[in-house]
Amino acid sequence: MFGWMSARAEQKDGRHGFAGLSRAATSVEAGLIAGTSVATAMGWRPVEAIAEGDKVLTFDSGLQTVHKVSRIRLWSAEDDCPRQFWPLEVPAGALGNRDVMHVLPGQNVMIESDAAEDLYGDPFSLIPAEAIEGTNGVERVPPQGDIEVIVLHFADDQIVFANNGALFFCPACHDVLQAAASSEQARPHYAILPMDEARFLAVHLEEEATTDRTYSPQDVWAAAAPA
C-alpha cells in the first residue's frame, strides 16, 4: 500500500499543517520516534542521525534539504506518561507497513485507499495516526524507556519515506527568511482529513482487501452520524 510512488499532480485544499507539539512543555504528540529510518541521499538512515543540511527523499519533491531538526523527549516528567501520549503500535501489514511500527498519535501519516479515490478522486490521504487506533489491531502501548522524538523541518511541508513502508508528514520550517530563500516554483500543499473522514478511511482499509464495493460521501455521513 505504501511504497515508492510517483508524485501526485496536485493536492486538495483543506485543513493543513503540523499537528505539532503538545501544549504541555514536557510532552509531544507528533514527530518520528528515534529508531525510525528514513530515505536519504545516502540511503536509509535513523531519523535521530539526520542533521540540518542533509537531503531526505520526499514523496512529491525528490531530495529536499532538512532546514531544522527538533529533538524532544516524549515525556520528561518523573511521573508516568499519560495515556494520551502513548505511541500507537501498528501490526505489520495493518497499513501496508512491512514490519511492526510505532507512531505517535498526533503524527500525520499518508495512506492509500480505494475509498479515498472514490470520495476525493485521489487514492492518497493524509490522516492523523490516532484515527487508526482500534482498527486492524492498532492499539496504544505504554512507552518503554526514555523515548526521543525527532521532527524534521523542510522549507515546505513534505512527506518522507520510512524503511518500514510508511509515509510520514514533516512540517515546513517556520523561519521566514529560510522560507523566502526557497524556490518560487509551486510546492505541495497537503490537506489533513478531519477526524471523522480519517476514521472512516481507516475502518475500511481492511474491508477493501476482500470487497469491490465503492464509496460515496453518504457513506461517510452515515458513519459519522450519532447512533
Side-chain angles (χ1 to χ4, degrees):
M1 182 176 297
F2 293 114
W4 300 81
M5 312 295 184
S6 58
R8 287 181 291 172
E10 62 182 67
Q11 293 285 343
K12 302 175 290 296
D13 290 332
R15 184 165 66 91
H16 65 285
F18 176 48
L21 304 181
S22 165
R23 289 187 294 274
T26 56
S27 61
V28 61
E29 294 183 73
L32 304 186
I33 295 173
T36 303
S37 291
V38 296
T40 76
M42 296 182 288
W44 295 110
R45 296 183 65 198
V47 67
E48 63 269 28
I50 303 297
E52 294 178 17
D54 287 348
K55 290 188 178 294
V56 172
L57 185 64
T58 67
F59 183 69
D60 282 302
S61 304
L63 289 170
Q64 291 293 309
T65 301
V66 175
H67 281 252
K68 179 181 178 181
V69 179
S70 299
R71 303 175 185 276
I72 317 103
R73 294 295 173 185
L74 175 63
W75 182 249
S76 59
E78 294 183 359
D79 54 340
D80 291 338
C81 179
R83 191 178 186 281
Q84 71 185 93
F85 301 120
W86 288 8
L88 295 170
E89 184 171 272
V90 184
L95 291 177
N97 48 305
R98 292 183 295 274
D99 306 300
V100 174
M101 71 177 186
H102 293 88
V103 58
L104 296 185
Q107 173 62 41
N108 294 308
V109 297
M110 183 172 281
I111 64 171
E112 180 187 6
S113 71
D114 295 336
E117 186 163 25
D118 290 339
L119 293 167
Y120 313 117
D122 188 337
F124 299 102
S125 296
L126 198 58
I127 67 172
E130 61 184 321
I132 65 177
E133 183 179 4
T135 67
N136 297 313
V138 178
E139 61 181 357
R140 293 185 191 239
V141 294
Q144 301 298 313
D146 190 12
I147 294 178
E148 184 180 33
V149 177
I150 293 87
V151 182
L152 304 180
H153 302 267
F154 297 87
D156 303 279
D157 292 347
Q158 299 291 350
I159 305 294
V160 301
F161 296 89
N163 67 331
N164 55 24
L167 291 165
F168 292 121
F169 175 79
C170 291
C173 180
H174 297 295
D175 186 308
V176 175
L177 293 179
Q178 288 180 333
S182 65
S183 171
E184 295 182 358
Q185 68 182 13
R187 299 291 185 176
H189 178 76
Y190 294 105
I192 301 169
L193 290 182
M195 187 57 68
D196 57 346
E197 295 179 41
R199 289 193 185 281
F200 178 86
L201 293 185
V203 167
H204 287 83
L205 280 175
E206 185 174 28
E207 178 183 303
E208 291 177 5
T210 58
T211 182
D212 294 327
R213 69 166 291 185
T214 58
Y215 303 86
S216 70
Q218 288 74 20
D219 293 318
V220 181
W221 299 333

